Amino acid sequence: MVSAPDRRRPFHSAALRGALWITLIALSATGAALTVQYLQTTRLLQARAQALVDDETASLIARYRYDGLAGVEAAIDRQAALPRLNEFFYLLAAPDGTPAAGNLLGWPVEVTAAGFHSFATEVVNTQGLPTRRWVDARAVLLGGNYRLLVGSFADERASLRARYLSALFWSLLVTGVLGLALGWWYSRRGLRFVDDVSDVGQRLLAGKLSERVPVSNRGDEYDRLATTINSCFAEIERLITSLRATTDGMAHDLKTPLTRIRARLELAELSGADVPAAAIAQSRHDLDSLLELIDGALGLARAEATATAGFAPVALDAVAREAIELYGPVVDEAGLALTADLAPAEVIGARSLLAQAVANLLDNAIKFTPAGGSVTVVTAMAAGQVMLTVRDSGPGIPAAEREAVLGRFHRLERDVAAPGSGIGLSLVAVAARVHGATLTLADAGPGLAVTLAFPTARNG
Amino acid sequence: MKLLLVEDDAETADYLRQGLAELGHSADHAATGVDGLTAALTSPYDAIILDRGLPQLDGLAVLRALRAQGVRTPVLLLSALGQLDDRVTGLEAGADDYLPKPFSFRELVARLEAIVRRGAAPEALADRLVVGALSLDRLARTASRNGRRIELLTKEYQLLEYLMRHAGQVVTRTMMMEAIWDYSFNPGTNVIDVHIGRLRTKIDADGEAPMLRTVRGAGYRLDAA
């Protein structure tokens, strides 16, 4: 056997891929959530800052309407002198740009037109050091080309932005690390199952047919898969075991008559005379039983491969009636009483295989029941099942052997001398399996009752 | 009978020709499908024994070609495949009978005689079959021997009819199994023997000459007594 190349690499690439995907998903979610929150908050803060600036501007414009430029200058001086939480800055500039009033030294270059502006600019603080700060300002054109600028510092927004960036960095870092770690753990957990299954499969291929995939009690998808794989493995084990039993049994049953034939021929060769007529007749008989055995084994193999696609409705009672007609005289000859209770019973199946199963059951019953006994054939439809029972008053089969007799080439110790190949009941078992029927061997006290219970024809 | 044997296994062919010669039949041998088809189309034969698995052209193809050419010679198809489906395919292709390998020589001869007889005198399905003192009324489904009425059960009637149609020929157990019970498997034990035994006691009454004879190792034969 060519061993499959070991494709397992020390690096678990599937687990890594899984971990990376999980990390990517976590990172995008975190980043998106933080950004949306940041944008919303900034918008709110900016709206509030603009409202404050607009409010202050509006009051100065009102002053201008009543008192003209002088009134505005006075108001600006008064306001600038007030220590306020919300620090405003003002500038009233003459048409040539000279400051007329306010706490700015010159008109900021960033403001080129009237309206609301939000920008960063160099601001000199009280210590005379310039710093770059965010500013919200409104410029208004007054009469005589005088310009008025009212603004406030947007330090809140600047610090929010800084915090956002740092939060984004740390969140992404933590999410990334956690995502990788948990993703790895999670992927390995799922893939451990895959590893387990491939290990078990390798061992099964190596010949340990009883190997099964562990099934947890969670009842999840993995367990369902494990159960399915296990039933496949069980079927493989059953097939191989039955194949072994078949070949062993067949080898034995083939070799016995072949050995006899060969012995006869060798004996004749030794004696130098022609092969005696008796030896020829015996050999032909042996050959016949060999052929019968091969036919039986082939028939069994064919029955195993019966395709359910060709199934059609079959009247089981009619099949039983035909078999009874065929075996009736044999039953009389054997000194048995045959009773039949054939109620209409329809199954979906292969007629020839069913006929053969029924014939085999009858044949067995007749063969193993001593004269004076009885054989009963019953067909019935009951409780969603179609039943066929063949009961005899023979010696029966010990409970411990009932399973074994369904195997190929198995004969009870006491029947070894009886004619037959030990295929009869195996064929019934195969027919049952092919038709999805259950086969039961029970004690008929005394005797054996074999029942085939088919699923009813009209269940779907 | 003049026969054509199309069989690729030389040993089987020799053994069959020898056996047939001993029974007074001559057989030409072809080892391939093409040779077999050529021979069958060029010379007249009483029957053709045709193996299914042949080199060049398989048995079924030969058979279909023959029938397409209007050659009606009876054909006995031999095959290692004994499945019911194969049997049906073979008969549908125009074979007159089908015999799974390995077969006994007697079985082959019995079936060969049966198809040749059928080919020679296409059954007119007479209302009355008569073999010696035995007669069968197919309309009334009754039988009598020398005017003594024989009471028969359905299967016994069918069995007797089959035997009378093949009177003078050996009829094997498998042939009866297929013809009367339509079972394509061997039902084991001596089922047919028991049926024949019953029929025999009804046909051959005490003091009458036995008509239904056992042919050892082959089957049964109904003679005009």
Side-chain angles (χ1 to χ4, degrees), chain B:
Chain B
M1 281 195 287
K2 186 159 169 51
L3 303 165
L4 173 64
L5 173 62
V6 193
E7 161 70 64
D8 60 329
D9 181 57
E11 209 162 316
T12 310
D14 278 353
Y15 138 76
L16 282 179
R17 286 176 76 187
Q18 243 176 61
L20 289 168
E22 265 173 43
L23 292 175
H25 306 303
S26 73
D28 288 347
H29 174 225
T32 69
V34 174
D35 291 350
L37 184 58
T38 317
L41 287 173
T42 47
S43 340
Y45 291 102
D46 293 316
I48 300 170
I49 304 167
L50 181 62
D51 189 25
R52 241 186 104 158
L54 288 172
Q56 294 175 18
L57 198 60
D58 78 38
L60 277 187
V62 172
L63 182 57
R64 290 203 180 98
L66 276 180
R67 294 302 186 231
Q69 290 292 315
V71 177
R72 301 253 64 91
T73 317
V75 170
L76 175 61
L77 204 59
L78 303 180
S79 166
L81 312 162
Q83 268 178 270
L84 188 62
D85 302 353
D86 297 310
R87 195 186 160 77
V88 172
T89 332
L91 296 181
E92 276 172 359
D96 295 82
D97 203 354
Y98 187 101
L99 192 56
K101 283 181 178 177
F103 48 83
S104 87
F105 183 67
R106 285 170 222 234
E107 181 86 31
L108 175 97
V109 173
R111 286 180 186 258
L112 211 49
E113 281 175 351
I115 61 171
V116 171
R117 166 95 48 109
R118 210 188 311 161
E123 270 173 56
L125 284 181
D127 292 344
R128 241 181 129 70
L129 285 174
V130 179
V131 176
L134 197 62
S135 74
L136 188 84
D137 186 333
R138 299 175 77 152
L139 292 178
R141 294 181 82 84
T142 55
S144 62
R145 179 170 178 177
N146 287 329
R148 172 177 61 86
R149 194 185 157 111
I150 302 171
E151 296 298 333
L152 294 172
L153 299 172
T154 319
K155 290 290 171 191
E156 290 167 343
Y157 171 84
Q158 289 173 9
L159 198 52
L160 182 59
E161 186 196 25
Y162 187 76
L163 284 164
M164 286 178 81
R165 265 167 41 205
H166 294 91
Q169 285 172 242
V170 175
V171 173
T172 67
R173 293 175 178 83
T174 341
M175 287 162 82
M176 288 185 267
M177 207 64 215
E178 284 167 12
I180 291 138
W181 282 276
D182 196 24
Y183 275 16
S184 54
F185 57 91
N186 176 7
T189 49
N190 50 348
V191 182
I192 291 290
D193 299 339
V194 174
H195 280 272
I196 290 285
R198 298 204 144 196
L199 185 60
R200 185 182 273 149
T201 54
K202 292 190 177 181
I203 297 169
D204 302 334
D206 286 339
E208 286 176 340
M211 287 182 75
L212 188 50
R213 295 203 175 91
T214 307
V215 183
R216 267 202 75 201
Y220 296 94
R221 192 178 64 221
L222 185 72
D223 291 316

Side-chain angles (χ1 to χ4, degrees), chain A residues 165-246:
Chain A
L165 286 176
S166 115
L168 189 66
F169 171 75
W170 287 110
S171 299
L172 291 185
L173 189 70
V174 172
T175 309
V177 170
L178 268 179
L180 276 176
L182 288 176
W184 176 263
W185 174 78
Y186 182 76
S187 303
R188 285 293 304 137
R189 188 168 149 265
L191 287 166
R192 193 176 317 127
F193 174 77
V194 177
D195 276 351
D196 283 352
V197 173
S198 53
D199 285 348
V200 168
Q202 290 287 351
R203 285 201 294 275
L204 187 96
L205 283 177
K208 285 181 125 186
L209 294 180
S210 55
E211 285 286 339
R212 295 293 181 273
V213 179
V215 182
S216 76
N217 47 18
R218 284 192 296 271
D220 56 9
E221 291 88 336
Y222 288 126
D223 286 332
R224 243 186 63 202
L225 180 59
T227 314
T228 309
I229 291 172
N230 281 345
S231 8
C232 294
F233 286 180
E235 183 67 7
I236 291 174
E237 187 181 19
R238 189 189 68 75
L239 286 174
I240 293 184
T241 317
S242 111
L243 186 69
R244 279 182 192 153
T246 307

Side-chain angles (χ1 to χ4, degrees), chain A residues 28 49 72 74 109 159 181 192 224 270 275 300 333 376 382 385 389 399 413 426 455:
Chain A
S28 329
V72 176
V109 287
S159 80
R192 193 176 317 127
R224 243 186 63 202
L270 277 178
V275 184
L300 211 52
E333 190 112 311
T376 314
Q385 281 191 319
T389 304
E413 285 294 324
S426 347

